[in-house]
Amino acid sequence: MSGARHVILNVNVLDVGTATGAWQLDDVHARSFIDGDHFAEVARIAERGTLDAFFLADSPGFWDNPRFKPTRGLEPSVILAAAAAATQHLGLIGTLSTTFNDPVELAERLLTLDTVSGGRVAWNVVTTYAPPAAANFGLDALPDREQRYRRGAEFVDVVTALWRSAIEQEPVRHRGEFFDVDHVVRVPPSAQGYPALVQAGGSPDGRTLAGRTAHAVFSAELTLSQAIEHYDQVKAVAREAGRDPDHVKILPGLVTTIGSTEEEARARYDRLYPRASAGATIARLETTLGVSLAELDWDKPLPAEILDAPPDPKSYAGSLGFRESVVGLARERALTVAELVRELGGSSGHRTVVGTPEQVADTIEHWYRRGAADGFNLMPDAIPSGLTVFVDEVVPILRRRGLFRHEYAESTLRDRLGVPVRSADRVHDLGVAVPVP
Amino acid sequence: MSIVPLGRRVVGVALSPAQVIEVLVPDRPTEPREFGRDLDRSGIDFVLLSTGPGEHFDASIAATILGRHTTSIGLVVEAAPLRDHPYNLARRLGSLDHLTHGRAGWAIGSVAARSEWTRADGDDVLTDAVEVARKLWQSWPSDTIVADSGAGVFAESHRIVHIDHDGAHRVAGPLNLPEPPQSHVPVLWISESSTTRAARVADVVIGSAPARAGQRVLAPWRIGTPVAASRADGILVSGEGSAAHVIEAAAAQVDSPRPLRSTATLRDRLGLAPLTRVLDDERRSAFPRLP
């Protein structure tokens, strides 16, 4: 391994971009969000910029209303296969739910993708909290949070064991609360053995699980101080679990709008995040906070009872991680409801930079050097234009500052993250055996 | 009638799991791009990617990679809706159809197996899964995507509907993927047994006779055996040896290639008639407009 430490940069490919108005730009067409050529082009741009990986969020069911902007459409493992066919080095990270998948099928599909891509895949492990999804799988309601996390932990355990079985050709015999498995995977192992594991660990439980088992954590951090606090927490959990803390990379989201001047960037931001999208922002904020905003005085800060009270785990349909970020931001800057809505327009709890390439590079460097992040999950306002400007303007600055690679050195994603497959030591976590990944 | 006169023989080729691995494993002598060009040039109507208990690749991933290296050949995925819930399968097959501009196909053939998601028996599971997929593929109609910049409306989402299916599987829908180019990805029944209901709901059966009137029939042909005279609409070629060898043998069976439209879908190649909607107009909107 070379001595140089680099900032890790992934691109979170939210179809045609994070911004509500991104679909109206000239470099995309109405069906770009379901067009293989679009995703292949985005992958090629990311690879040209020597970015670490191409990341896809997802859910097995509708989450947002596509009335105002495209939503998730194509299934992520299929998009990643298209991206794999177009690239040679770029990492490929996809979100697949442990709530509505089968561990044997998922293990074989992701290992296939890993093998055919030359060992470039990581799995972003999530549980599904989108209520519409339950009804697609024959359930009247989502299993409660605790049950989802128990199923998720067992699911990851089974999948990891199945991936090892592909190497060792020894059957996995597992009888647990959710899964009964007697199977050996007959998919050829990849150049990195099997995929790495990523988690979106935004809640306290999520950070604990990630610290113990993940190779990277995707988080939503609105403030530097919260980011540093969470960074330290996850690294501490890793140490306590007997892991090298450098083996779990902390990667907050970073929403960007870039212009040659700050004014130009502001103008682009106002064009891409029009006021008309406030409805979507409000809806998202209401789900995140678990309350209606209609009865509140929008010129006053959010009431303490909303900020302080944890939501009822049985009925809460939002993301605890995002909620923590939003509450932290509202408190730290004493934002009124109106200011909070404006601040969050489209970003859903992620740090946003609207400015010049130097300003974007400064934020990345500042957070990296202050110990708030090992890198970022970039969320360009519009794709491909927002990614192209990042690759053409920001990456060279980071390279000049010695913060980013000039070319790919390692060929597998695990090598790039510094987490090659090792022999299993089993660590017990709440009664579920969790292999050291 | 759900088929149209073809005027030529349909030729499909079934690659064994070992042959699929041979084509796509890294550091192989031939690039998949080159293999893809050979497939397109051959005039073969579709390649079927089989799965199996021995060494194999996931067929939907394999089909996507080959789909990105080809422009005209059909790509049929063998996938059982057993560990794969029909919702997820409909989404992946629909996605493959979008990524290949209408060249995806779905092959199923095993009734003697259990689903992880429902207690219904094998034949019911397969038949129901096909019905669920066909409804889901039409739940987000293609023409709802209006991309009206002036009005700020991307999609007329009030016309996206729940399917409210209640059979061996209970699926509310909608599918969070717009209607695939083929609307109905063709279903091929590849089992020997054609007396099941699942065989009858398929668009194409592999065998000597249709399971129901109006179904496309392809006779299986093993390379090295005599080509049997039959009244089938075409053949499904398979054999031992390298993938290239099997492709070459299949290409030799293609009638002097009649150039198809470059936008020909797999349904076009199979001569399947255009479809009617399987969802009636009274369905529940998934995103009702506010008054």
Side-chain angles (χ1 to χ4, degrees), chain B residues 12-63:
Chain B
V13 61
L15 291 180
S16 70
Q19 287 159 348
V20 175
I21 288 177
E22 178 218 318
V23 173
L24 291 177
V25 76
D27 304 327
R28 65 218 151 257
T30 317
E31 285 293 315
R33 188 172 316 133
E34 229 180 282
F35 185 77
R37 271 199 296 268
D38 291 343
L39 281 178
D40 280 339
R41 266 200 294 260
S42 70
I44 294 167
D45 292 293
F46 66 86
V47 57
L48 190 162
L49 303 178
S50 311
T51 188
E55 234 197 356
H56 65 276
F57 277 151
D58 173 275
S60 57
I61 300 295

Side-chain angles (χ1 to χ4, degrees), chain B residues 194-216:
Chain B
S194 62
T195 56
T196 60
R197 280 186 302 121
R200 288 195 290 279
V201 300
D203 297 292
V204 179
V205 288
I206 311 302
S208 52
R212 60 163 168 90
Q215 206 173 34
R216 205 46 97 200

Side-chain angles (χ1 to χ4, degrees), chain A residues 122-141:
Chain A
W123 170 29
N124 182 36
V125 182
V126 298
T127 69
T128 300
Y129 67 88
N136 291 326
F137 294 87
L139 301 180
D140 292 317

Side-chain angles (χ1 to χ4, degrees), chain A residues 158-371:
Chain A
V158 172
V159 168
T160 308
L162 285 168
W163 284 339
R164 285 191 199 284
S165 82
I167 296 172
E168 290 151 16
Q169 285 302 294
E170 287 292 330
V172 172
R173 297 208 163 90
H174 171 98
R175 185 153 287 164
E177 182 186 352
F178 299 94
F179 306 109
D180 230 333
V181 174
D182 186 350
H183 191 83
V184 59
V185 166
R186 303 293 322 273
V187 173
S190 76
Q192 65 177 2
Y194 51 82
L197 290 178
V198 168
Q199 279 163 41
S203 62
D205 282 347
R207 280 191 285 276
T208 303
L209 190 60
R212 288 186 166 135
T213 63
H215 299 116
V217 186
F218 294 152
S219 57
E221 306 290 359
L222 286 168
T223 68
L224 180 67
S225 53
Q226 263 184 340
I228 293 171
E229 194 183 310
H230 296 154
Y231 183 100
D232 291 342
Q233 275 169 14
V234 178
K235 300 287 185 174
V237 170
R239 260 184 225 104
E240 279 151 33
R243 299 179 70 199
D244 178 342
D246 195 45
H247 287 182
V248 54
K249 303 290 191 284
I250 315 297
L251 306 172
L254 187 67
V255 178
T256 56
T257 293
I258 304 172
S260 325
T261 64
E262 216 178 309
E263 290 71 39
E264 196 182 288
R266 282 257 143 241
R268 179 179 163 102
Y269 185 90
D270 287 340
R271 202 169 63 244
L272 291 177
Y273 294 90
R275 297 261 178 80
S277 76
T281 304
I282 291 165
R284 200 74 188 261
L285 187 54
E286 288 184 330
T287 304
T288 300
L289 291 174
V291 295
S292 161
L293 298 176
E295 307 301 311
L296 302 177
D297 183 345
W298 278 40
D299 291 322
K300 293 208 161 61
L302 278 165
E305 54 268 24
I306 291 173
L307 294 178
D308 295 341
D312 175 5
K314 295 239 174 334
S315 61
Y316 184 62
S319 156
L320 286 179
F322 283 177
R323 187 180 183 286
E324 197 183 328
S325 273
V326 169
V327 167
L329 179 71
R331 270 209 191 98
E332 186 165 299
R333 292 167 49 188
L335 297 177
T336 64
V337 178
E339 285 168 340
L340 187 58
V341 170
R342 193 160 54 242
E343 185 76 24
L344 292 177
S347 80
S348 297
H350 293 281
R351 181 70 172 196
T352 302
V353 179
V354 179
T356 63
E358 287 74 22
Q359 287 172 319
V360 175
D362 286 346
T363 298
I364 291 172
E365 181 170 16
H366 186 53
W367 280 47
Y368 179 70
R369 295 209 186 282
R370 287 291 312 274

Side-chain angles (χ1 to χ4, degrees), chain A residues 135-139, chain B residues 80-89 106 114-133 135-136 163-172:
Chain A
N136 291 326
F137 294 87
L139 301 180
Chain B
L82 301 171
R83 291 192 174 280
D84 237 331
H85 189 281
Y87 186 94
N88 291 335
L89 201 44
W106 179 13
R114 245 189 59 236
S115 164
E116 294 296 317
W117 303 94
T118 167
R119 291 206 179 91
D121 83 65
D123 192 23
D124 276 345
V125 170
L126 300 184
T127 310
D128 197 60
V130 171
E131 198 179 322
V132 165
K135 288 178 180 175
L136 285 174
I163 68 168
D164 292 326
H165 176 92
D166 200 342
H169 306 88
R170 202 153 56 94
V171 181

Side-chain angles (χ1 to χ4, degrees), chain B residues 117-279:
Chain B
W117 303 94
T118 167
R119 291 206 179 91
D121 83 65
D123 192 23
D124 276 345
V125 170
L126 300 184
T127 310
D128 197 60
V130 171
E131 198 179 322
V132 165
R134 285 174 172 163
K135 288 178 180 175
L136 285 174
W137 286 326
Q138 293 191 339
S139 59
W140 182 351
S142 185
D143 63 0
T144 57
I145 298 168
V146 296
D148 184 344
S149 294
V153 173
F154 178 73
E156 291 178 349
S157 57
H158 58 283
R159 291 172 46 218
I160 300 173
V161 294
H162 292 286
I163 68 168
D164 292 326
H165 176 92
D166 200 342
H169 306 88
R170 202 153 56 94
V171 181
L175 189 67
N176 57 333
L177 176 74
E179 186 173 7
Q182 296 186 95
S183 191
H184 283 178
V185 172
V187 177
L188 285 73
W189 179 251
I190 56 173
S191 162
E192 310 285 282
S193 149
S194 62
T195 56
T196 60
R197 280 186 302 121
R200 288 195 290 279
V201 300
D203 297 292
V204 179
V205 288
I206 311 302
S208 52
R212 60 163 168 90
Q215 206 173 34
R216 205 46 97 200
V217 183
L218 300 179
W221 176 56
R222 243 1 236 177
I223 297 168
T225 66
V227 182
S230 84
R231 289 184 300 165
D233 301 300
I235 52 171
L236 179 64
V237 180
S238 62
E240 300 290 314
S242 72
H245 167 67
V246 173
I247 298 300
E248 206 180 303
Q253 296 293 322
V254 173
D255 301 335
S256 55
R258 182 168 56 89
L260 290 163
R261 276 191 348 264
S262 62
T263 52
T265 63
L266 180 56
R267 290 191 73 88
D268 291 336
R269 287 178 167 275
L270 295 171
L272 299 174
L275 297 155
T276 52
R277 278 190 68 72
V278 297
L279 293 176

